[in-house]
Amino acid sequence: MPDKKVVPMKKLTTTLLALTAASALVLSGCSSDRGGESGGGETSGGGESAAAGFEEGATIGVALPQKTSENWVLAEQLFNDGLTEAGFKPIVQFANGGVSEQQSQIDAMVEQGAKVIIVGAVDGSQLGSQLKNAKDNGATVIAYDRLVKNTDAVDEYIAFDNFQVGVLQGEALLQGLAERKGEGPYNIELIAGSSDDANSTPFFEGAMSVLDPKIEDGTLVIPSGQTSFEQVSTQGWKAENAQKRMDTVLSGSYSDKELDGVLSPNDTLARAALTSAKQAGKETPVITGQDSEVESVKSIVAGEQYSTIYKDTRKLVEESINAVKALQAGEEPEINDTESYDNGVITVPAFLLEPIIVTQENAAEVYAGDPTLEELTK
């Protein structure tokens, strides 16, 4: 992993507040292997399908994963409303039954003549056959939020900068520890996302690019000894899996210690870790999150969960629909990164949005104008 320039947290917060969640800056500092092993894969073009265009009122398929967070539920509504308003016929489906259900759903979208298939993958490495079939039938494939891996049958990736999400989480953890726990060393534990989600690795690697030096110099101590992604990943992003592991860690390694902090990759798992710490009789640890879920925003405002990440789903869906409109008109969708996301076969052209760190200090300003979250900060 190439070195990353890590900006001090307070300076970073000030800088990011000057941006909107829809900032479309070219992220020249992106790591070359965020999406997988760097191998100089070819870049997918998609130019041929884009140049052709397609008829107005065409069918557009949107294959979403399980309903594991509020943002996925919101995306369903936004895609249905936005695509319909733009004159398309949307098919928006969740694969709550897992990979096999999503595979079947994508095949059905192809059979129904979908001109574009937008995929938020359950497991981005198990859709190669379905997406090749889609491409062979003339559809354009857009990976939404999660990178599709090990296939050349993908034209574009639209997401927030996931490595930067992890960097922000690592910075937030260090800042929160200094603010709430005084001087170190600090006892912390690590939580990562589901191993079948391509986003989980860049989240973790981004955070560890910040935390590893502090582990090496003794500022951060991990009493459980669980430091690898494999040891700390959470199958299915399920809260019960994270809480069960934290219960085991606390009973086994913290009988005579306090838990000062937890690196959590999202809000659902953050709340699970907070529950575990509370039930174990521990003081509230400094804990990170992501997704700006309602209960976690309330917790941040109340001074419990320390931070989350704001990734405005409205903007992510909007950019995806803009790509569909461009394709329908026979134009190339907007791209601002052509180097960072090697999926193991090709380097997928990407449109990346900038994530924003949120703490109690800046929550009111960040969420101003958000129809759901603004009221929670008043």
Side-chain angles (χ1 to χ4, degrees):
M1 181 69 61
D3 290 339
K4 283 282 183 176
K5 181 180 179 182
V6 180
V7 182
M9 187 64 194
K10 290 185 178 179
K11 180 179 178 182
L12 183 59
T13 300
T14 302
T15 302
L16 288 177
L17 283 173
L19 302 173
T20 67
S23 296
L25 300 177
V26 176
L27 304 174
S28 59
C30 292
S31 166
S32 62
D33 41 38
R34 290 184 198 171
E37 296 298 326
S38 59
E42 296 181 2
T43 299
S44 171
E48 184 176 342
S49 58
F54 51 84
E55 70 275 9
E56 295 181 1
T59 297
I60 308 298
V62 182
L64 300 177
Q66 295 102 328
K67 297 182 180 181
T68 53
S69 74
E70 293 170 6
N71 284 341
W72 288 117
V73 177
L74 177 59
E76 176 188 28
Q77 174 190 335
L78 293 171
F79 272 119
N80 272 316
D81 293 347
L83 287 169
T84 300
E85 183 178 345
F88 299 107
K89 298 176 183 176
I91 303 172
V92 185
Q93 296 177 319
F94 278 102
N96 289 311
V99 172
S100 60
E101 181 177 6
Q102 187 164 65
Q103 292 170 336
S104 298
Q105 288 171 343
I106 292 172
D107 283 338
M109 291 172 186
V110 174
E111 290 177 6
Q112 294 176 69
K115 296 299 184 182
V116 181
I117 296 181
I118 299 169
V119 181
V122 175
D123 183 339
S125 65
Q126 297 193 52
L127 298 176
S129 297
Q130 290 71 34
L131 299 184
K132 182 180 184 302
N133 180 47
K135 295 287 292 178
D136 288 346
N137 281 273
T140 299
V141 175
I142 297 174
Y144 171 88
D145 189 67
R146 298 176 175 181
L147 186 64
V148 176
K149 306 187 77 171
N150 302 326
T151 178
D152 62 359
V154 57
D155 296 280
E156 183 179 2
Y157 177 44
I158 299 178
F160 284 85
D161 184 354
N162 295 318
F163 187 92
Q164 183 65 13
V165 167
V167 169
L168 294 176
Q169 290 173 334
E171 287 287 332
L173 182 59
L174 292 179
Q175 179 173 302
L177 289 168
E179 288 180 0
R180 295 187 176 181
K181 301 296 182 178
E183 294 186 2
Y186 311 106
N187 294 323
I188 71 162
E189 294 297 330
L190 310 173
I191 300 175
S194 186
S195 59
D196 57 6
D197 180 351
N199 287 353
S200 297
T201 299
F203 292 154
F204 187 70
E205 290 179 346
M208 297 311 291
S209 74
V210 176
L211 300 182
D212 272 337
K214 297 299 181 182
I215 294 172
E216 292 172 4
D217 71 16
T219 302
L220 301 178
V221 179
I222 303 178
S224 71
Q226 297 177 9
T227 58
S228 71
F229 177 83
E230 292 73 20
Q231 289 174 312
V232 304
S233 61
T234 307
Q235 184 59 37
W237 290 95
K238 292 182 178 179
E240 58 265 33
N241 292 339
Q243 185 172 337
K244 181 179 180 180
R245 176 175 160 262
M246 286 302 299
D247 288 345
T248 301
V249 165
L250 289 173
S251 64
S253 302
Y254 285 85
S255 60
D256 58 349
K257 298 181 182 71
E258 281 300 323
L259 175 65
D260 297 313
V262 179
L263 173 73
S264 170
N266 80 349
D267 290 342
T268 299
L269 305 188
R271 296 194 301 274
L274 285 170
T275 298
S276 182
K278 182 177 180 181
Q279 291 178 350
K282 302 298 182 182
E283 293 182 4
T284 302
V286 174
I287 189 163
T288 63
Q290 176 181 191
D291 292 332
S292 294
E293 294 188 350
V294 167
E295 289 306 313
S296 283
V297 172
K298 291 178 181 178
S299 180
I300 289 169
V301 172
E304 297 166 348
Q305 183 173 323
Y306 182 75
S307 69
T308 187
I309 300 289
Y310 187 45
K311 303 191 316 186
D312 192 342
T313 300
R314 296 170 300 168
K315 298 297 183 183
L316 197 59
V317 171
E318 179 184 0
E319 293 301 336
S320 301
I321 295 175
N322 285 343
V324 174
K325 291 177 180 177
L327 291 165
Q328 189 275 321
E331 301 171 355
E332 293 285 352
E334 186 174 358
I335 298 295
N336 60 17
D337 188 296
T338 59
E339 300 178 353
S340 298
Y341 287 91
D342 183 340
N343 76 350
V345 176
I346 60 171
T347 301
V348 184
F351 185 87
L352 303 180
L353 291 87
E354 189 77 10
I356 299 178
I357 190 72
V358 184
T359 65
Q360 187 183 47
E361 180 182 3
N362 70 348
E365 188 170 358
V366 172
Y367 296 137
D370 186 290
T372 301
L373 302 176
E374 182 176 21
E375 288 299 317
L376 303 179
T377 65
K378 294 181 178 179

